[in-house]
Amino acid sequence: MSEKKLFGTNGIRGTVNVELTPEMAVTAGCAIGTFFGKKNLLIGYDARTSGPMFAKAVSSGLTATGCNVFLAGMAPTPALQFAVKNHKMDGGVIITASHNPPQYNGIKVIWSDGIEISHEQETEIENIYFQQKTQFADWKHLGAVHELAGINSEYIEAMKTHVDTTKIAEKHFHVVVDAANSVGGLAAPVLLRDLGCKITSLNANIDGTFPGRMPEPRPENLEELAKTVKALGADLGVAFDGDADRSIFVDETGQIHMGDKTFAVVLKQFLLENPNAQVVTPVSSSTLIKDTANAYKGEIVWTKVGSVTVSQKMKEINAKLGGEENGGVFYGPHQAVRDGAMTTALILGIMAKTGKKLSELVAEQPQYFIEKGKIECSEDKKPKVLEKLLEQVQGMNINTLDGVKIWFDDKSAILVRPSGTEPAYRMYAEAKTSERAVELVNEYTSRLKKILETI
Ligand code: MG
């Protein structure tokens, strides 16, 4: 195994021309091409200013190793993932830094099923990259470069087959779409128009400097959307992240709902239609998801935190639904990956079918108070801290897939987990009262402090 890392928790990612340079992208392309071995690969990018530069650099590396490259151009990540599968490609590369600020970019590698490659496969590519094991093709066997137009329209058409288009169209929903000046604007507005919606667009022009808002759909970035939905009396607002695989919704009163709540809306309807189904979600998800699964006869399959893990597990057990608290919903009948536009169509389908507004659908759910905490912890101490904490919580209702999640009898819960990106432990507590959530974070912060003093 290589000591050095190229892939982080979200593929290869870094600031443009500082941490991630065109030279690295060419070499990464060579390593990815060697890993696949003279195959057909699709490549596309989000709206960042460096997208075409990195797409061309990676393409050069791929063709140098004999892979044929199909240039799809600018597209949402889920549209590229859908196209890899739809066009029977052997894999794909997506140039995106998802929700990061505009000075970042990244390289994601997709397998033939449209799902990101596993961490083991990433390690194989890293070994080729760092040990210079690239297998160059001779001049007669270089890969060819083709253009593949129209993947966004194919993706939009496919999504329409998974919802009741007539029922949605009858409602003439007014939807405000905040596309973050990125690729979310290339699919969702067209899909919604086809679904008979009236659309008001925010940040719809493609601009890789992201002048409208930062691409992370956090509440502080969505105030304009919330105000617009309320002021116009629209039925729904939706905001995408930079590559449009995640979506966060605003109800007709202007209230922003984080991903757990809208995932629970989708989950309830799904279980009403698919009783006893399995649903995949990371241990970071709210107890709300567990409650919904219990109430509507679903079985939760927990995973570690991370969208690739959810996708892989869905595929392994043939589950049709997955979801994350950050606004990622995975609808298997379309594709087992996060998909912002598909989630929007599902939510509209539920509003049309039930005749309920999003605020009503959310108000039906059990309510929880959330409290977050963080404590510094160096990388070398992380495993020992977890080991000591696990000794303390033995016998409690726990899950140890990723850090430790503890459920208590009063319906409160806490996840204590080493951060994947920082020298720290993070805590997410939820409870029926805010006092209890705060109390849990305080209790586990002091437990971790004491452990840190002894190791
Ligand atoms: Mg994303």
Side-chain angles (χ1 to χ4, degrees):
M1 260 195 47
S2 169
E3 286 294 305
K4 291 185 199 162
K5 297 297 283 177
L6 181 63
F7 291 89
T9 41
N10 295 298
I12 302 168
R13 201 172 285 189
T15 46
V16 174
N17 285 349
V18 180
E19 293 160 335
L20 183 60
T21 63
E23 290 96 322
M24 283 171 69
V26 172
T27 311
C30 291
I32 296 163
T34 302
F35 166 77
F36 277 97
K38 300 187 170 51
K39 294 287 170 61
N40 294 325
L41 301 177
L42 184 78
I43 188 162
Y45 45 89
D46 71 14
R48 290 161 197 278
T49 54
S50 56
M53 173 178 91
F54 284 124
K56 284 181 177 164
V58 172
S59 297
S60 292
L62 293 174
T63 50
T65 61
C67 285
N68 298 315
V69 172
F70 293 78
L71 304 169
M74 198 184 282
T77 287
L80 287 157
Q81 291 175 294
F82 182 79
V84 163
K85 219 169 50 149
N86 196 32
H87 288 272
K88 299 191 168 52
M89 295 281 163
D90 299 300
V93 176
I94 305 173
I95 308 298
T96 177
S98 185
H99 59 275
N100 288 139
Q103 64 271 30
Y104 283 79
N105 215 335
I107 302 169
K108 268 189 192 192
V109 183
I110 305 298
W111 194 243
S112 56
D113 55 10
I115 299 174
E116 268 176 75
I117 57 169
S118 67
H119 294 309
E120 291 74 27
Q121 290 171 315
E122 288 180 345
T123 304
E124 283 183 51
I125 295 174
E126 276 171 352
N127 288 341
I128 299 167
Y129 182 96
F130 288 114
Q131 296 168 20
Q132 286 143 28
K133 287 183 178 167
T134 290
Q135 289 173 6
F136 287 108
D138 65 56
W139 68 271
K140 280 183 286 187
H141 299 97
L142 296 175
V145 179
H146 307 277
E147 302 226 344
L148 182 66
I151 68 155
N152 288 332
S153 335
E154 292 163 4
Y155 163 68
I156 292 162
E157 288 308 309
M159 286 187 282
K160 290 184 334 203
T161 65
H162 297 289
V163 290
D164 189 336
T165 52
T166 315
K167 212 165 214 146
I168 296 172
E170 280 168 4
K171 297 285 181 179
H172 305 291
F173 289 123
H174 180 185
V175 185
V176 185
V177 179
D178 180 344
N181 299 109
S182 192
V183 290
L186 299 179
V190 182
L191 171 68
L192 297 177
R193 182 201 63 199
D194 290 357
L195 292 174
C197 298
K198 176 183 171 186
I199 302 153
T200 300
S201 290
L202 295 180
N203 308 317
N205 56 314
I206 295 283
D207 184 335
T209 65
F210 302 151
R213 67 163 167 93
M214 281 296 110
E216 170 84 36
R218 287 181 198 275
E220 60 267 31
N221 295 332
L222 306 183
E223 281 169 20
E224 191 192 5
L225 173 66
K227 275 188 205 151
T228 308
V229 171
K230 196 173 175 196
L232 298 181
D235 298 291
L236 187 72
V238 58
F240 299 107
D241 76 325
D243 64 334
D245 59 347
R246 294 194 280 131
S247 48
I248 293 292
F249 295 88
V250 173
D251 71 26
E252 77 291 349
T253 71
Q255 179 74 37
I256 301 165
H257 296 293
M258 293 316 287
D260 275 327
K261 298 198 172 184
T262 41
F263 175 42
V265 167
V266 174
L267 176 59
K268 176 183 168 182
Q269 189 62 34
F270 174 78
L271 289 173
L272 287 171
E273 291 163 16
N274 302 272
N276 306 313
Q278 287 182 309
V279 51
V280 181
T281 200
V283 286
S284 52
S285 284
S286 166
T287 304
L288 169 60
I289 302 307
K290 203 178 172 202
D291 291 344
T292 308
N294 288 343
Y296 299 96
K297 298 187 175 61
E299 184 201 332
I300 291 203
V301 178
W302 300 104
T303 68
K304 280 178 183 260
V305 176
S307 68
V308 186
T309 322
V310 174
S311 291
Q312 304 277 11
K313 181 55 84 176
M314 284 178 70
K315 209 183 151 199
E316 181 193 322
I317 63 172
N318 198 22
K320 291 197 177 72
L321 188 66
E324 297 175 314
E325 46 80 34
N326 59 12
V329 172
F330 309 59
Y331 188 61
H334 174 52
Q335 52 179 352
V337 298
R338 307 194 282 208
D339 191 324
M342 186 69 240
T343 310
T344 312
L346 291 172
I347 294 279
L348 289 172
I350 294 165
M351 288 167 61
K353 188 171 242 171
T354 60
K356 288 177 182 167
K357 296 169 175 158
L358 182 61
S359 68
E360 295 171 327
L361 292 163
V362 171
E364 293 171 353
Q365 301 171 344
Q367 305 295 318
Y368 286 94
F369 292 87
I370 292 174
E371 184 70 23
K372 294 183 182 181
K374 187 168 107 174
I375 179 166
E376 312 246 311
C377 175
S378 58
E379 289 299 329
D380 57 316
K381 287 187 174 170
K382 279 180 179 176
K384 192 76 186 162
V385 167
L386 187 59
E387 191 186 309
K388 292 273 176 196
L389 181 63
L390 283 174
E391 282 171 17
Q392 294 184 11
V393 299
Q394 278 311 313
M396 296 167 84
N397 183 9
I398 58 170
N399 180 307
T400 57
L401 270 175
D402 200 343
V404 58
K405 175 119 181 194
I406 312 160
W407 287 281
F408 302 92
D409 289 340
D410 64 352
K411 302 221 74 174
S412 60
I414 188 165
L415 174 68
V416 183
R417 177 177 178 263
S419 166
T421 50
E422 284 180 80
Y425 260 85
R426 291 181 179 281
M427 282 163 276
Y428 309 82
E430 55 180 346
K432 287 290 178 188
T433 64
S434 68
E435 293 77 16
R436 174 65 175 147
V438 171
E439 182 189 286
L440 273 174
V441 167
N442 290 343
E443 183 192 334
Y444 280 82
T445 304
S446 78
R447 277 184 189 238
L448 290 195
K449 261 191 199 149
K450 281 190 192 136
I451 292 172
L452 278 165
E453 283 163 11
T454 62
I455 59 171

